[in-house]
Amino acid sequence: MDGSRTPQTPPVLILLGPPGAGKGTQARMLEDRFGLVQLSTGDLLRAAVASGSKAGKAAKAVMEAGDLVSDDIVIAILRDRLAQPDCANGVILDGFPRTTAQAEALDHMLADSGQQIDAAVLLEVDDVKMVVRIAGRFTCGDCGEGYHDTFKTPKVADTCDNCGARNMTRRADDNASTVMARLDAYHEQTAPLIAYYDGKGVLRRVDAMGEIGGIQSAIATLTESVMR
Ligand code: ADP
Ligand code: ZN
């Protein structure tokens, strides 16, 4: 990749990496700092489950088992979201694509609107440590800020630093047994995308085992370079 991009089209970044790698945390940083919109298929699917829609009903048990929801459902959800007006400033895809079929569908969607992928950022982590990371994490139910029992505790217990709400939630699938299934799904179905994006010249690797702040700076620098 020569680093240049068509200036008229909004940036498209993909965050790749296993569950627990920090995709959501980093996507939120990119939203704040670069005005991009985070599109998390995990969040969209959890909203579908909560709403009791047809897609949500189909996804619920699959997600609780740690398996991947069918490509048809996820692609349809992502396509609808991508068409909304706030995506016109550029997007960070968090948790999508997760299969080769999803990656190909994304290429077609973007081509239809004259867009392209600027970078697929791979958050490189140690799998074994992901189990601990995931089992300790929780989120503000009001604003979505992420926390961790060990690595990122709120300043006042049970109270969100960001919005002050006292409404922390833990995901149903964030338990040790489901995490193993999610890691397996990642290695079998998602890891092949590393070669897919490397082949397109857009893969960028970031060591994501250190402190959240250091990883943020590395990703911000990389994002600045591709958005130029
Ligand atoms: P994590 O990356 O920590 O596993 P996510 O919130 O991205 O968390 O995903 C949670 C679950 O939602 C996944 O285990 C899977 O069941 C489902 N899911 C999310 N994104 C996709 C996708 N692109 N394709 C298929 N299933 C997905
Ligand atoms: Zn909050």
Side-chain angles (χ1 to χ4, degrees):
M1 192 172 74
D2 65 2
S4 64
R5 55 188 311 278
T6 317
Q8 297 86 344
T9 64
V12 178
L13 299 180
I14 295 171
L15 294 182
L16 274 180
K23 299 184 294 291
T25 303
Q26 300 301 340
R28 289 170 58 82
M29 176 277 292
L30 292 169
E31 274 197 321
D32 292 347
R33 186 146 170 186
F34 296 97
L36 305 172
V37 171
Q38 172 192 14
L39 301 187
S40 157
T41 43
D43 287 349
L44 293 168
L45 287 166
R46 280 184 286 278
V49 170
S51 78
S53 68
K54 200 176 155 207
K57 287 197 175 98
K60 189 172 191 285
V62 178
M63 292 174 74
E64 280 168 6
D67 295 328
L68 294 188
V69 175
S70 77
D71 287 333
D72 290 355
I73 291 178
V74 178
I75 291 167
I77 286 182
L78 197 270
R79 178 178 285 122
D80 286 352
R81 182 65 187 87
L82 204 51
Q84 286 168 24
D86 62 333
C87 294
N89 290 330
V91 295
I92 313 133
L93 298 172
D94 157 12
F96 183 95
R98 254 179 163 91
T99 64
T100 303
Q102 291 177 19
E104 288 168 355
L106 175 65
D107 287 343
H108 288 130
M109 279 182 238
L110 294 175
D112 285 348
S113 55
Q115 287 175 274
Q116 66 193 15
I117 293 159
D118 293 289
V121 181
L122 175 63
L123 303 183
E124 294 188 300
V125 292
D126 174 352
D127 261 31
V128 179
K129 304 228 166 93
M130 292 306 103
V131 180
V132 180
R133 268 203 200 175
I134 291 176
R137 74 184 179 181
F138 54 97
T139 307
C140 170
D142 282 25
C143 77
E145 186 74 9
Y147 295 93
H148 194 280
D149 292 327
T150 309
F151 310 120
K152 189 184 166 198
T153 53
K155 291 192 182 75
V156 179
D158 299 324
T159 306
C160 179
D161 296 347
N162 189 43
C163 77
R166 293 177 58 86
N167 181 26
M168 297 299 185
T169 59
R170 289 185 193 254
R171 272 167 49 178
D173 62 346
D174 276 353
N175 58 74
S177 60
T178 306
V179 172
M180 300 312 286
R182 283 155 64 200
L183 283 169
D184 285 348
Y186 173 77
H187 288 293
E188 279 164 30
Q189 300 182 70
T190 309
L193 298 182
I194 298 169
Y196 183 87
Y197 289 118
D198 204 13
K200 290 179 180 290
V202 294
L203 187 75
R204 304 298 183 93
R205 295 172 186 271
V206 170
D207 175 358
M209 280 314 295
E211 266 184 82
I212 292 174
I215 301 162
Q216 260 176 23
S217 323
I219 297 177
T221 305
L222 189 159
T223 303
E224 269 159 13
S225 76
V226 300
M227 281 179 67
R228 252 202 308 267

